[in-house]
Amino acid sequence: MNRREFLRQAAALTAVNALPTIAMACDTPPWAIGFKGLTADLDPLPMRVEGKVPPGCHGTLYRNGPALYQRGGQRYQHWFDPDGMVQAFAIGAGGIEHRGRFVRTRRFDAEQEAGRFLHNGAGTVFPGAEPGRNSDDYNVANINVQLLDGELLALWEAGSAYRVDPDSLATLGRKDWSAELRGVPFSAHPRFDEHGELWNIGSVPFSQQPQLALFHIGADGGLRKSRVVRLDFPGYMHDFILTPRYLVALNSSAVISSGRTFVNRFAWQAGQPSQLLVFDRNDFALLATIEVPATFVFHFGNGWERGDEIGFTACRYADDRVVTAAMRKLAMQECGPYPHQPELVRYSIDLVRRRATVEGFGIDLEFPSFDRRSPFLRQPLYGVGGQQSSPSSLASAVVRVDPVSGAEQRYDYGDGTVVEEPLYVPGSNGDYLVHTLLDYRRQRSGLAILRADSLADGPVAMALSERLLPLGFHGCFRPAQPVGAA
């Protein structure tokens, strides 16, 4: 199939999917198949490719996300809960092949042997659940997967990272940065600097003295430095910002209080200003605490500096209902409405005046990504959109936004398709976005590749699988060879 014919058929499919959705009362909406889950590892399986895969996209796309929803007749009731599965999409001249393996966390192994859930989930209470000894008893390693020093790190946000072999996907054990930091929460959203070194946070919000752990890890996987600082209040933190000189964390107004599960502990406090915490990258000293209106953010774009000003983008929500309501209803396979409406905003921090301003773009964007070769430039931001018009509240479009002008490009697959996080893949003959998707009308999962500078043209290649894969969160891309190599 030539590219023109492929694009014609893709456009026709989009037109069909874009027909108005018939409003109906239902017990199980069609997109609920994305939350059905899996019960076993997935052996290698070729995918059917349409279009031409650019050579610059040869490599492996790794994805992680909640996958095991049920054990022993019981089911998790929140998207945060199920055990993580690392999936690999091997992309090459001969086609695309998929496989996946569950991360063998301490919790997974114990519950696999018991044949039942032993502990509560982040948002699920099980009768007779056992108390955990520490955070790693609850760790399901289901949010992200990132490459470091030749290994994959399967990441959660309240426990240890797990090491995974990038070729076999076998779990190699927990990653302990030091004896003192064993089991300390390690966020699912590490940042990489211009030297390929890793920086991260870990929130400890449950004690009377809430704390935040800060990490600096070398490209060789060795600990460079760490620090634990006290917080004024236990706000939920999921991601953070890194710039050439600073690390910025948002202590949100979703304050952790009391409750039987992590999600039940969320208490939205509209009268509690959120805090931007600005740390010195050199020694993790807290340089400034700047109050901003109550806000909730899962994910940030990249950050940059201009003199004494720090700028960055964020996917902002009006409150925390995306966690407390939307993610629960989706995982329970219930019909909406789902309160899930992110807006892309730009923060500007004036370090001299100790104040921050926030400007909205009026664009719905989540799961932001960017060119990691130049992490501190004001560069285009890529993500998913269409949540506000989607019947599932899940994204149907790939979006590109200029963080200065707000100029936008997008390609919308229409109703019937859920689009997952796009990753920026640079190449010597052009740059691309690679992302996975769920076509819930045809009950198939897939992978698509688009040119980063011309999203409106649609995919240059798409691969569909006979498998139905659970909707996940984040991942990374390992190129077959360095950009520019012969």
Side-chain angles (χ1 to χ4, degrees):
M1 180 184 299
N2 61 40
R3 185 170 186 269
R4 177 177 297 178
E5 176 64 14
F6 169 67
L7 292 176
R8 185 190 67 78
Q9 293 191 21
L13 175 61
T14 299
V16 171
N17 283 341
L19 292 175
T21 301
I22 299 174
M24 59 182 178
C26 63
D27 295 322
T28 305
W31 50 86
I33 61 173
F35 301 92
K36 182 179 179 180
L38 300 166
T39 58
D41 294 337
L42 300 174
D43 292 331
L45 180 70
M47 301 174 70
R48 180 171 57 87
V49 180
E50 298 176 347
K52 184 177 180 180
V53 175
C57 293
H58 291 175
T60 305
L61 171 67
Y62 296 101
R63 295 271 302 158
N64 194 3
L68 197 152
Y69 279 80
Q70 299 182 93
R71 284 186 190 275
Q74 294 179 310
R75 179 179 169 86
Y76 281 125
Q77 298 174 5
H78 196 280
W79 200 358
F80 272 167
D81 288 343
D83 296 85
M85 171 180 278
V86 173
Q87 301 179 47
F89 296 82
I91 306 170
I96 300 177
E97 183 180 78
H98 171 268
R99 59 198 167 94
R101 292 195 65 176
F102 285 106
V103 184
R104 266 57 175 185
T105 62
R106 186 165 71 192
R107 174 174 183 153
F108 180 94
D109 286 340
E111 294 184 338
Q112 194 80 342
E113 181 177 353
R116 64 183 180 89
F117 292 120
L118 299 176
H119 305 290
N120 290 332
T124 306
V125 174
F126 293 116
E130 302 173 6
R133 294 165 295 175
N134 54 50
S135 60
D136 276 332
D137 281 341
Y138 299 96
N139 190 345
V140 286
N142 68 357
I143 296 179
N144 201 352
V145 59
Q146 291 291 319
L147 285 158
L148 181 69
D149 190 32
E151 293 180 336
L152 291 168
L153 296 181
L155 301 167
W156 197 42
E157 63 180 353
S160 301
Y162 270 84
R163 299 163 48 237
V164 174
D165 183 273
D167 297 317
S168 68
L169 303 187
T171 303
L172 304 176
R174 287 184 302 172
K175 179 67 175 181
D176 294 324
W177 307 109
S178 70
E180 295 77 13
L181 295 172
R182 184 173 295 125
V184 172
F186 191 77
S187 160
H189 288 284
R191 298 273 169 164
F192 292 86
D193 65 18
E194 65 276 26
H195 306 297
E197 300 198 334
L198 182 152
W199 305 72
N200 207 357
I201 63 171
S203 177
V204 188
F206 302 119
S207 64
Q208 294 295 322
Q209 296 178 335
Q211 298 174 323
L212 182 68
L214 305 170
F215 302 86
H216 176 198
I217 311 294
D220 60 357
L223 179 68
R224 294 288 185 266
K225 62 178 177 291
S226 64
R227 185 172 183 175
V228 177
V229 298
R230 291 185 180 181
L231 302 175
D232 294 336
F233 60 90
Y236 177 64
M237 298 186 190
H238 187 78
D239 194 0
F240 69 101
I241 282 291
L242 189 71
T243 72
R245 291 179 292 170
Y246 307 107
L247 185 154
V248 183
L250 173 72
N251 198 15
S252 80
S253 302
V255 179
I256 308 302
S257 58
S258 59
R260 296 188 65 185
T261 70
F262 177 66
V263 173
N264 289 341
R265 292 186 174 108
F266 275 52
W268 180 251
Q269 297 187 10
Q272 169 68 61
S274 298
Q275 294 177 331
L276 292 172
L277 308 175
V278 182
F279 298 94
D280 189 320
R281 244 177 68 165
N282 289 321
D283 58 5
F284 289 148
L286 180 60
L287 302 178
T289 299
I290 300 171
E291 291 190 344
V292 293
T295 192
F296 183 87
V297 173
F298 265 139
H299 305 122
F300 296 98
N302 69 313
W304 57 86
E305 297 176 18
R306 290 170 63 90
D308 292 319
E309 181 181 284
I310 301 172
F312 58 90
T313 49
C315 307
R316 180 183 66 179
Y317 294 83
D319 52 41
D320 63 357
R321 289 179 298 160
V322 59
V323 177
T324 59
M327 296 179 73
R328 184 185 299 279
K329 295 186 75 172
L330 287 166
M332 293 177 69
Q333 301 178 301
E334 297 179 355
C335 289
Y338 312 96
H340 182 192
Q341 297 185 347
E343 180 193 9
L344 181 65
V345 299
R346 181 177 61 232
Y347 281 83
S348 297
I349 298 176
D350 186 329
L351 289 175
V352 175
R353 295 179 176 83
R354 302 295 180 96
R355 67 185 185 188
T357 58
V358 188
E359 300 173 80
F361 288 92
I363 297 172
D364 56 323
L365 186 144
E366 252 292 7
F367 293 100
S369 66
F370 50 88
D371 185 351
R372 284 178 25 176
R373 294 173 301 175
S374 304
F376 307 131
L377 295 181
R378 293 194 296 177
Q379 57 171 291
L381 192 68
Y382 303 88
V384 302
Q387 293 95 324
Q388 296 182 4
S389 58
S390 167
S392 67
S393 85
L394 300 168
S396 61
V398 181
V399 184
R400 178 186 192 271
V401 179
D402 185 301
V404 179
S405 68
E408 174 191 3
Q409 295 182 32
R410 71 172 55 206
Y411 181 80
D412 200 317
Y413 291 83
D415 290 349
T417 299
V418 176
V419 175
E420 298 190 286
E421 175 189 60
L423 292 179
Y424 186 92
V425 178
S428 56
N429 295 313
D431 302 332
Y432 294 87
L433 297 180
V434 179
H435 73 86
T436 50
L437 58 87
L438 169 66
D439 180 345
Y440 60 78
R441 302 289 191 203
R442 294 190 289 177
Q443 300 194 17
R444 291 184 179 181
S445 297
L447 178 148
I449 301 173
L450 300 88
R451 289 190 64 92
D453 60 356
S454 55
L455 297 187
D457 291 343
V460 299
M462 183 180 293
L464 294 177
S465 175
E466 297 300 322
R467 286 173 170 158
L468 183 63
L469 303 175
L471 291 169
F473 294 135
H474 303 283
C476 64
F477 185 83
R478 181 179 68 171
Q481 55 186 353
V483 175

